[in-house]
Amino acid sequence: MAQLYNNLGSVSSETGDFKKAIEYYHRALENFEIIKDKAGKAQALQNIGLIYAAKKDYNKAQLYYQQSLTLNRETDNKYQIVNILSAIGNCFTEMKSYDKAIRYLKESYELAINTGLSNEIFRNCKSLSEAYRGAKDYVKSFDYIEKYIQLKDSVYNAEKFKQLSELQTKYETEKKKKEIEIKTLKLKESEEVNKRQKAVIYSIIGGLILISFFSILLYRLYLKIRKKNLLLVKQKMEIEIQAKELEKLSIVASETDNSVIIANAEGIIEYVNAGFTKLFEYTFDEFASMRGKNIVKTSFYPDFLDLFLDCIEKKNSVVYTTLSETKSGKKIWVQTTLTPYFDNNGNLQKLIAIDSDVTKIKEAEEEIRFQKKEITDSIHYAKRIQSAILPRNENLKDFIGDYFILFRPRDIVSGDFYWTTSVHISDGVTCDRVSDEMSGNRVSNVVFGSRVTSSHPVTIIAVADCTGHGVPGAFMSMLGISFLNEIFNNEKIVNPAQILNELRKSVIESLKQKGASEEMKIVSSETLTNSSAVVSSYGSGKDTPSSFITAVKTPYAANENDGSSSFATAVKDGMDIALCILDPDKHILQFAGANNPLWIIRHDLQGSVNKDNRQSIANGADQNDPQGHVNKGKSQSIAYSADQYDPTGRENELIEIKGDKMPIAIYDKMPPFVTIEIPVHKGDTFYIFSDGYADQFGGPKGKKLMYKRMKQLLIENRNSSMPDQRLALEKNLTEWMSHLDPHSGKPYEQVDDICVIGLRI
């Protein structure tokens, strides 16, 4: 089966279907691996290398050649070693790495001499001549080309001697055969003399034999004549078809605006069409008087001689572009296709050069390059604007403290963004909105409904992942930042869920998003404010309630159970976001998320998980309902059992608080977002992020990095400083992407914008 796939690959390669050929060779390679056939594996690898070399992808060709060379050295297959060394050397010559090319070619040459491989010797001589010529060592190049010519002549003479020997042997065999026939006839004649009595019978028999013999000869002669006649008819038809094709080609050559030049095997121009004069404004006689009639000397291309030799050697067309000048002095770009024509014996007969005016194409390419630069400059300016509206690091440190930000756009501008601010709230009762008015008197930054006491700061921080990346994502991110600033500055909201509800409402209204049902409506901020309630109060240490994680939910405007708010299609534009409010004085962290989670790593003084604070309540239980029943129509609690935070396993040291499974955009069901309150302690670390880091492709198998690896990395570096954690994330990402993509042969490219924020209490 392995050899069958190898043969199928060879057939596909000969027909020019390189993609199919590579597929078959890889299947052959897998089967050779199964049966432990090193020679077969080496052959399959060499065949794949040959295809990539034919496609001029010399880096990939080198990889497969080197693997094949290793296997052939293990099996001591000197013939294949010679061939692969020569192939590697030729690849380096094409890549202009002439020193490496000479090293491999000389090794192949010396091994060929030691093993008596004459054909490989003179081929290596030619390759070495070309490599030394590329290295500008013309003396050695000349020496090897002389050896090549001498060896080629000797091989040619040896082949001729072999053919003459075969003809001589055939002649001697035929001669012996004729002598035997003559002796046989004489023997028959003597027998006829001795048996005169049977002469009449033998005469009749002989006559019948002769008649039969001549009948057969005549019939065979008839078949030969008939076959020749059919062949003549076929040839006549082919000649007629060729004559018609030549007539068409003649019309094309005379009428086309392209220049057609035909030269003989020595490069002497024999014919130019009318298009030559149309293109260059010269008659051929005028042009020949200035530059001569040799096609090598008439070309404006500086390296034409190398192209000319390469074209003849590989028996393939070559295409090159030259800046030329017409008779009137006009500069034009000319693209030339030079094609060699060989007879059935492989001898060069003609050279055909077709010149086309590609000046407009060149001008268009220049215009495209200019426009690309203009667009790129505009995007870079957009990056400056986007960078200006993102929080500055020096400002963040004033109210965040020990933190890191890993912000890495995929393109110049980013669809991910981070946003943070700080506000002073009253030390009284916690509420969802900061009011500018109280009892008719204007008071700044006071909790609505509370008594006026001292205040303390809280920090709001968010990471968002907008639809798309690049310029579209950047527009969306700027909208998101503007809406968040407007919500905070105008509405004075300091409840994560209400901020996300207002943000969703702003996105839907600004993008004019609509669903299939009238009942799919966003809950107003007033409804959210009046219906929200915090089940657990702020506290820390001994005052921390047993339900240390509490979810706050506002009633949904439509009936959640009737399914009336679902729809088939919706606008996809929007964002996923994780938003936290940290109250360091109260040791409380509030979180709300749209598809994005919050990760927390708890630490005691020794840096391990803080077991004293792992308190829990039954899922869905209310503090005032010890039986664990959820009161319909009231706020619902979501809590987690202690088993979820069992510190005995390394992965369980990282606590994941999931956000709501809906985006900041129109969606089939849009209940209010949920606020989750978590008591925090000094040394606890929390992380919010977009999905770009975990979704990055790379690694040895070309897979996504995934959240599991990201969690493990954070757990392993939990005791490191925040800047060191950022370096660890960056290093891991760089190493993950440094693996080669098997499709492109290059390291993996970044697939999405990346934003990760870590903060230590």
Side-chain angles (χ1 to χ4, degrees):
M1 182 61 71
Q3 191 59 47
L4 174 62
Y5 280 129
N6 202 42
N7 293 338
L8 287 172
S10 299
V11 172
S12 298
S13 176
E14 291 173 2
T15 57
D17 190 353
F18 292 139
K19 183 177 179 181
K20 202 69 177 176
I22 291 174
E23 181 181 345
Y24 281 127
Y25 284 140
H26 276 293
R27 290 184 182 178
L29 192 60
E30 292 172 359
N31 282 273
F32 281 130
E33 181 67 32
I34 292 170
I35 64 177
K36 307 297 182 182
D37 186 352
K38 287 187 178 181
K41 282 175 60 182
Q43 184 62 48
L45 289 166
Q46 183 179 359
N47 290 337
I48 296 171
L50 288 170
I51 290 177
Y52 281 117
K55 292 171 70 177
K56 301 188 183 302
D57 190 348
Y58 300 112
N59 287 324
K60 278 193 177 180
Q62 289 281 8
L63 292 175
Y64 289 101
Y65 281 150
Q66 291 291 353
Q67 294 178 57
S68 178
L69 179 61
T70 301
L71 291 172
N72 279 307
R73 289 190 190 278
E74 291 175 3
T75 58
D76 198 28
N77 189 337
K78 289 186 171 52
Y79 177 79
Q80 290 297 346
I81 293 171
V82 169
N83 283 332
I84 294 172
L85 286 170
S86 180
I88 294 172
N90 289 330
C91 280
F92 279 121
T93 300
E94 293 295 335
M95 295 164 68
K96 302 189 185 305
S97 296
Y98 298 113
D99 292 337
K100 293 182 180 179
I102 291 168
R103 178 163 57 83
Y104 280 98
L105 289 170
K106 287 192 74 173
E107 185 180 352
S108 175
Y109 173 72
E110 292 168 0
L111 185 57
I113 291 174
N114 294 334
T115 52
L117 300 173
S118 57
N119 287 333
E120 282 65 32
I121 293 171
F122 81 81
R123 275 201 293 268
N124 277 319
C125 285
K126 185 175 182 183
S127 298
L128 280 165
S129 175
E130 292 175 352
Y132 277 116
R133 183 180 65 186
K136 303 190 183 304
D137 191 346
Y138 299 110
V139 174
K140 288 187 178 179
S141 175
F142 182 76
D143 290 340
Y144 278 103
I145 201 66
E146 274 193 335
K147 291 179 181 180
Y148 167 76
I149 294 170
Q150 292 171 2
L151 289 169
K152 187 174 182 181
D153 291 339
S154 65
V155 171
Y156 176 81
N157 292 333
E159 289 179 354
K160 286 296 181 182
F161 179 79
K162 182 180 178 182
Q163 291 176 0
L164 289 173
S165 298
E166 289 176 353
L167 289 172
Q168 181 67 26
T169 302
K170 187 175 181 181
Y171 169 76
E172 293 295 334
T173 303
E174 291 293 330
K175 184 177 178 182
K176 290 286 185 183
K177 185 177 179 182
K178 291 294 182 183
E179 288 176 356
I180 291 170
E181 289 178 356
I182 292 171
K183 288 179 180 180
T184 302
L185 289 173
K186 287 182 178 180
L187 182 59
K188 285 182 179 180
E189 289 176 359
S190 65
E191 287 177 354
E192 287 175 359
V193 171
N194 294 330
K195 299 178 182 180
R196 291 176 182 178
Q197 294 177 354
K198 299 179 181 179
V200 175
I201 297 172
Y202 282 120
S203 297
I204 294 171
I205 293 172
L208 291 172
I209 292 172
L210 288 173
I211 291 170
S212 300
F213 179 72
F214 282 113
S215 297
I216 293 170
L217 286 178
L218 288 172
Y219 180 71
R220 291 181 66 184
L221 182 62
Y222 164 75
L223 291 177
K224 287 182 179 180
I225 293 171
R226 183 185 175 189
K227 185 177 180 180
K228 287 182 179 179
N229 287 336
L230 291 173
L231 183 61
L232 288 172
V233 171
K234 183 180 178 181
Q235 290 175 345
K236 181 181 178 183
M237 292 175 64
E238 290 177 351
I239 291 170
E240 289 175 352
I241 293 171
Q242 290 175 359
K244 290 180 181 179
E245 292 295 326
L246 287 172
E247 184 180 357
K248 293 176 183 177
L249 290 173
S250 177
I251 294 171
V252 171
S254 60
E255 297 299 327
T256 183
D257 290 335
N258 293 335
S259 166
V260 179
I261 301 172
I262 300 176
N264 60 20
E266 286 74 34
I268 305 302
I269 299 174
E270 298 179 338
Y271 166 82
V272 297
N273 69 337
F276 178 87
T277 303
K278 292 179 184 178
L279 184 61
F280 296 105
E281 301 175 358
Y282 289 103
T283 64
F284 177 65
D285 291 336
E286 291 173 339
F287 188 80
S289 65
M290 293 175 59
R291 300 185 66 88
K293 293 186 177 182
N294 192 298
I295 195 170
V296 177
K297 295 181 179 179
T298 58
S299 176
F300 288 95
Y301 192 72
D303 298 324
F304 179 78
L305 181 59
D306 291 335
L307 279 177
F308 175 77
L309 296 173
D310 188 60
C311 170
I312 296 172
E313 174 65 25
K314 295 182 178 178
K315 297 184 178 180
N316 286 327
S317 299
V318 294
V319 181
Y320 56 94
T321 304
T322 313
L323 182 61
S324 303
E325 185 176 343
T326 65
K327 182 179 179 180
S328 62
K330 179 183 177 182
K331 300 289 186 180
I332 60 172
W333 284 97
V334 176
Q335 180 175 285
T336 303
T337 303
L338 181 65
T339 305
Y341 172 72
F342 296 87
D343 60 19
N344 294 332
N345 297 322
N347 298 317
L348 179 65
Q349 296 295 308
K350 303 289 182 183
L351 289 164
I352 304 169
I354 301 176
D355 297 329
S356 304
D357 186 353
V358 293
T359 304
K360 291 183 178 179
I361 296 174
K362 281 286 185 179
E363 291 173 350
E365 289 175 352
E366 188 61 33
E367 178 65 21
I368 290 170
R369 278 193 292 270
F370 175 76
Q371 290 177 359
K372 181 182 178 183
K373 183 179 182 300
E374 290 286 307
I375 293 169
T376 304
D377 290 345
S378 298
I379 296 173
H380 277 290
Y381 186 72
K383 180 183 179 181
R384 292 171 58 189
I385 296 173
Q386 187 181 44
S387 300
I389 66 173
L390 290 173
R392 293 178 175 272
N393 285 344
E394 54 267 26
N395 295 337
L396 291 175
K397 199 162 187 178
D398 293 339
F399 52 87
I400 292 183
D402 193 11
Y403 75 99
F404 75 79
I405 298 175
L406 174 57
F407 184 64
R408 186 167 170 173
R410 194 198 83 161
D411 302 310
I412 299 171
V413 289
S414 173
D416 289 2
F417 72 87
Y418 57 94
W419 177 83
T420 184
T421 188
S422 180
V423 62
H424 281 73
I425 66 171
S426 168
D427 291 332
V429 181
T430 302
C431 193
D432 297 327
R433 187 182 299 268
V434 176
S435 176
D436 284 336
E437 294 187 9
M438 186 175 180
S439 302
N441 300 318
R442 301 190 61 84
V443 180
S444 297
N445 298 330
V446 179
V447 177
F448 180 74
S450 69
R451 61 186 181 277
V452 180
T453 61
S454 61
S455 64
H456 64 277
V458 296
T459 298
I460 307 174
I461 185 166
V463 168
D465 183 357
C466 299
T467 304
H469 40 71
V471 174
F475 276 115
M476 198 69 200
S477 71
M478 294 178 74
L479 274 177
I481 292 173
S482 298
F483 289 149
L484 286 170
N485 287 330
E486 181 179 344
I487 291 166
F488 181 74
N489 294 328
N490 297 343
E491 302 296 330
K492 308 298 183 182
I493 297 173
V494 289
N495 178 282
Q498 291 190 37
I499 292 173
L500 297 193
N501 287 325
E502 289 298 319
L503 179 60
R504 176 170 62 186
K505 179 180 176 182
S506 299
V507 168
I508 292 174
E509 289 176 353
S510 64
L511 298 181
K512 299 179 176 60
Q513 295 179 339
K514 294 181 180 180
S517 172
E518 248 343 280
E519 293 183 359
M520 184 175 55
K521 297 178 180 178
I522 191 69
V523 182
S524 69
S525 61
E526 181 179 357
T527 304
L528 294 171
T529 302
N530 295 333
S531 60
S532 297
V534 180
V535 175
S536 67
S537 62
Y538 282 0
S540 62
K542 294 181 180 179
D543 297 329
T544 303
S546 61
S547 53
F548 75 94
I549 299 177
T550 306
V552 182
K553 201 178 221 181
T554 54
Y556 182 31
N559 187 349
E560 293 184 65
N561 298 320
D562 63 6
S564 61
S565 63
S566 63
F567 61 96
T569 59
V571 179
K572 300 290 186 181
D573 299 323
M575 65 188 75
D576 298 334
I577 189 170
L579 188 144
C580 298
I581 298 180
L582 176 64
D583 188 334
D585 288 16
K586 301 282 187 179
H587 299 287
I588 290 292
L589 176 69
Q590 288 187 318
F591 163 73
N595 286 326
N596 286 357
L598 165 71
W599 290 354
I600 301 176
I601 298 179
R602 293 191 178 277
H603 287 277
D604 58 18
L605 294 176
Q606 285 72 39
S608 62
V609 175
N610 193 329
K611 301 178 183 179
D612 295 335
N613 291 313
R614 291 189 296 104
Q615 305 174 39
S616 63
I617 62 174
N619 285 334
D622 187 83
Q623 284 180 304
N624 299 319
D625 185 3
Q627 302 301 320
H629 302 298
V630 176
N631 294 323
K632 304 296 182 181
K634 294 184 178 181
S635 300
Q636 299 178 15
S637 301
I638 300 175
Y640 304 90
S641 67
D643 293 339
Q644 289 177 277
Y645 307 121
D646 182 4
T648 58
R650 291 181 63 84
E651 289 188 2
N652 291 337
E653 292 176 331
L654 188 148
I655 303 170
E656 180 173 10
I657 311 297
K658 294 185 177 180
D660 292 294
K661 290 296 182 181
M662 51 184 172
I664 301 296
I666 201 163
Y667 200 56
D668 55 350
K669 290 186 178 181
M670 295 189 296
F673 286 96
V674 174
T675 292
I676 298 174
E677 289 186 352
I678 308 144
V680 292
H681 302 273
K682 185 175 181 180
D684 290 352
T685 309
F686 71 88
Y687 306 89
I688 52 177
F689 43 83
S690 65
D691 60 3
Y693 193 93
D695 285 349
Q696 177 59 48
F697 283 95
K701 297 183 179 180
K703 303 288 186 180
K704 286 185 178 181
L705 192 144
M706 304 300 287
Y707 286 112
K708 182 178 180 181
R709 292 187 181 90
M710 185 177 174
K711 289 178 180 179
Q712 187 63 33
L713 182 65
L714 292 174
I715 291 170
E716 290 172 356
N717 290 274
R718 63 186 181 276
N719 294 325
S720 301
S721 67
M722 301 311 286
D724 286 345
Q725 288 191 27
R726 179 182 185 274
L727 292 175
L729 286 169
E730 286 185 325
K731 180 181 178 183
N732 180 67
L733 183 66
T734 301
E735 291 175 353
W736 186 257
M737 294 170 60
S738 65
H739 291 268
L740 296 182
D741 184 344
H743 300 291
S744 65
K746 299 177 180 179
Y748 287 89
E749 295 182 355
Q750 187 173 331
V751 298
D752 198 2
D753 301 316
I754 294 172
C755 185
V756 183
I757 291 183
L759 189 149
R760 180 167 288 158
I761 307 300

